[in-house]
Amino acid sequence: MHVEEIISRLKELYPEGYFHINREPFYLLISTVLSQRTRDEVTIPTAQKLFSVLDTPEKMASADVDEIQELIRDVGFYKVKSQRLIDISRMLLDEYDGVVPDDINELVKLPGVGRKTANCVLTYAFDKDAIAVDTHVHRISNRMGLVETDTPEETEIGLQKVVDKELWKDINGLMVLFGKSICKPVSPKCDKCIMNDICPKLI
């Protein structure tokens, strides 16, 4: 199966792509941390609410944890994330002069930032070639036979081997949209899928 064909069809299905409201690096980093185990419909307004009050690393680093908890109460694990946002902001100020690094090895040093979050920041904030593997990307890549992997980290490595680098940054956004609307975790809409003639699940 040609991965270029899959991505081409997804681009036809979602010509607007996946667009974050705000691509500023600090906003993208914090909103992606907020999004962990939380739906976009909750994450986006919560991030906007948070940044209407605390919109810089300086403000967030000096904020009271109870204040942040109140602002992000709607997201999953909000108590853990509240302290994490403070810790991230303090580390940015202490070690990176308040600037979000554009290197994955530096990003993953930040509290609560794994490869998926780091790659989202690289892709959407810095427009770098990276593959952010969330549950949608991991599931769809395996269903479509692009990889045979057990973990998102393995999926990232596997996709890097079979996808041309100039297409890396397209994968996350397209597969997230596809995974939410068609290729769902449970009861995927295979009868309505534009991949049903090439999907290993169906042929």
Side-chain angles (χ1 to χ4, degrees):
M1 181 186 300
H2 297 293
V3 66
E4 291 83 2
E5 174 67 18
I6 293 172
I7 294 175
S8 175
R9 293 190 189 192
L10 290 176
K11 284 183 175 180
E12 288 180 21
L13 190 61
Y14 307 108
E16 302 299 319
Y18 185 71
F19 179 68
H20 278 82
I21 293 174
N22 188 333
R23 292 176 181 261
E24 192 278 321
F26 183 62
Y27 182 95
L28 227 305
L29 171 62
I30 296 302
S31 63
T32 306
V33 171
L34 291 176
S35 75
Q36 295 166 2
R37 300 194 184 186
T38 303
R39 301 188 318 275
D40 283 350
E41 305 89 85
V42 175
T43 300
I44 292 172
T46 300
Q48 292 171 337
K49 181 180 179 182
L50 174 66
F51 272 75
S52 70
V53 180
L54 307 170
D55 60 348
T56 65
E58 290 81 4
K59 291 179 182 178
M60 209 166 289
S62 59
D64 186 83
V65 69
D66 292 333
E67 178 185 10
I68 297 181
Q69 284 184 16
E70 190 59 37
L71 290 167
I72 69 167
R73 184 175 293 274
D74 291 337
V75 303
F77 303 96
Y78 73 94
K79 290 184 178 181
V80 174
K81 291 176 182 177
S82 296
Q83 185 60 54
R84 193 164 280 168
L85 300 188
I86 293 173
D87 294 341
I88 287 172
S89 299
R90 288 176 178 170
M91 188 168 176
L92 287 176
L93 292 170
D94 291 343
E95 300 191 24
Y96 301 99
D97 297 319
V99 177
V100 176
D102 62 353
D103 177 86
I104 191 164
N105 295 314
E106 299 303 317
L107 284 167
V108 295
K109 293 178 182 178
L110 297 169
V113 175
R115 291 191 65 87
K116 189 271 284 189
T117 296
N119 281 324
C120 278
V121 173
L122 293 176
T123 298
Y124 295 114
F126 296 110
D127 199 33
K128 290 201 166 191
D129 297 321
I131 303 176
V133 178
D134 61 6
T135 57
H136 295 292
V137 176
H138 179 58
R139 178 180 72 255
I140 294 166
S141 298
N142 276 275
R143 274 186 182 169
M144 296 296 298
L146 299 178
V147 296
E148 291 184 20
T149 55
D150 296 319
T151 67
E153 291 77 15
E154 291 174 355
T155 297
E156 180 188 348
I157 294 169
L159 288 174
Q160 287 175 350
K161 295 177 180 178
V162 298
V163 181
D164 288 340
K165 195 168 186 177
E166 66 264 22
L167 298 175
W168 285 7
K169 67 182 68 170
D170 295 321
I171 290 174
N172 177 265
L174 292 170
M175 288 193 180
V176 165
L177 292 170
F178 187 53
K180 287 181 175 181
S181 59
I182 304 293
C183 199
K184 297 182 177 185
V186 180
S187 301
K189 300 178 181 179
C190 299
D191 57 325
K192 299 179 180 179
C193 183
I194 60 169
M195 306 289 184
N196 57 21
D197 62 323
I198 59 174
C199 180
K201 182 179 173 67
L202 299 174
I203 58 175

